[in-house]
Amino acid sequence: MEKLIINSYDEFASHLGEELGHSDWLEVDQERINLFADATLDHQWIHVDVERAQRESQYKSTIAHGYLTLSLLPYLWNQIIDVRNIKMQVNYGMDQMRFGLPVVTGSRIRLVTKLHNIADLRGICRAEIKFTIEIEGQRRPALEGIASFLYYFNKQKSE
């Protein structure tokens, strides 16, 4: 799928209520989970102890940290959209975020997005993106909610 290219607030706003696209599938493997555990100091056995998880977990496998799944949002988002003509982009907030199913190690996930709301805050674009992180082969998502980003568009030159 081609990225959606956005050059201005008005272009962004023209997609209000529309699905913006979906990312490629990304495998969440044990190495990624272990690196996240090291980075966050969260070494709970359900994430990092493969043998114990095979014996004791209802999933018969380790699972990804919920926050690892969330942390992949910017990477997956950047596969969907290319916002140009900006000075910077800032993560602004999360609303109505809910974890659904755990991501079992080796599963593939992808992001599906819709432009939920958009506002011009004195020249700063606040885009609220309804997102769903799907797990391949599962009906219920791993995570869903509304992510808010601030885009600082460059001023358009007068002709």
Side-chain angles (χ1 to χ4, degrees):
M1 180 178 157
E2 277 190 47
K3 281 187 182 185
L4 174 63
I5 297 172
I6 299 292
N7 293 292
S8 68
Y9 174 86
D10 290 334
E11 280 184 32
F12 219 152
S14 74
H15 295 282
L16 183 61
E18 295 178 7
E19 184 173 305
L20 300 176
H22 58 80
S23 69
D24 294 333
W25 291 104
L26 174 70
E27 182 178 348
V28 180
D29 61 15
Q30 190 64 52
E31 180 181 9
R32 184 179 311 277
I33 293 168
N34 291 344
L35 289 169
F36 189 83
D38 289 344
T40 60
L41 307 176
D42 180 356
H43 293 94
Q44 188 179 167
W45 69 267
I46 63 172
H47 305 303
V48 297
D49 190 332
V50 174
E51 291 79 23
R52 184 175 177 188
Q54 287 172 342
R55 284 192 320 272
E56 298 180 31
S57 168
Q58 67 187 29
Y59 308 107
K60 302 299 179 204
S61 174
T62 52
I63 59 173
H65 305 72
Y67 289 119
L68 167 56
T69 304
L70 175 61
S71 75
L72 293 168
L73 181 67
Y75 169 76
L76 298 170
W77 175 236
N78 286 329
Q79 291 182 13
I80 296 170
I81 195 165
D82 182 4
V83 182
R84 299 177 178 176
N85 190 37
I86 58 173
K87 293 180 234 174
M88 67 177 169
Q89 171 194 344
V90 176
N91 297 326
Y92 187 66
M94 292 283 173
D95 292 303
Q96 303 172 22
M97 191 180 80
R98 298 285 180 269
F99 292 102
L101 293 177
V103 177
V104 175
T105 304
S107 295
R108 294 185 344 145
I109 62 171
R110 75 173 180 176
L111 177 66
V112 179
T113 60
K114 178 179 180 178
L115 182 55
H116 178 71
N117 199 5
I118 191 163
D120 184 344
L121 308 176
R122 291 177 294 214
I124 301 167
C125 171
R126 183 185 69 213
E128 295 178 356
I129 309 302
K130 170 80 172 112
F131 70 89
T132 303
I133 296 182
E134 300 178 336
I135 305 169
E136 189 174 37
Q138 297 293 330
R139 285 188 358 209
R140 289 183 35 221
L143 179 62
E144 51 189 352
I146 299 172
S148 296
F149 302 106
L150 299 180
Y151 291 96
Y152 294 74
F153 283 99
N154 292 310
K155 302 288 184 224
Q156 299 289 331
K157 295 180 181 174
S158 299
E159 308 265 294

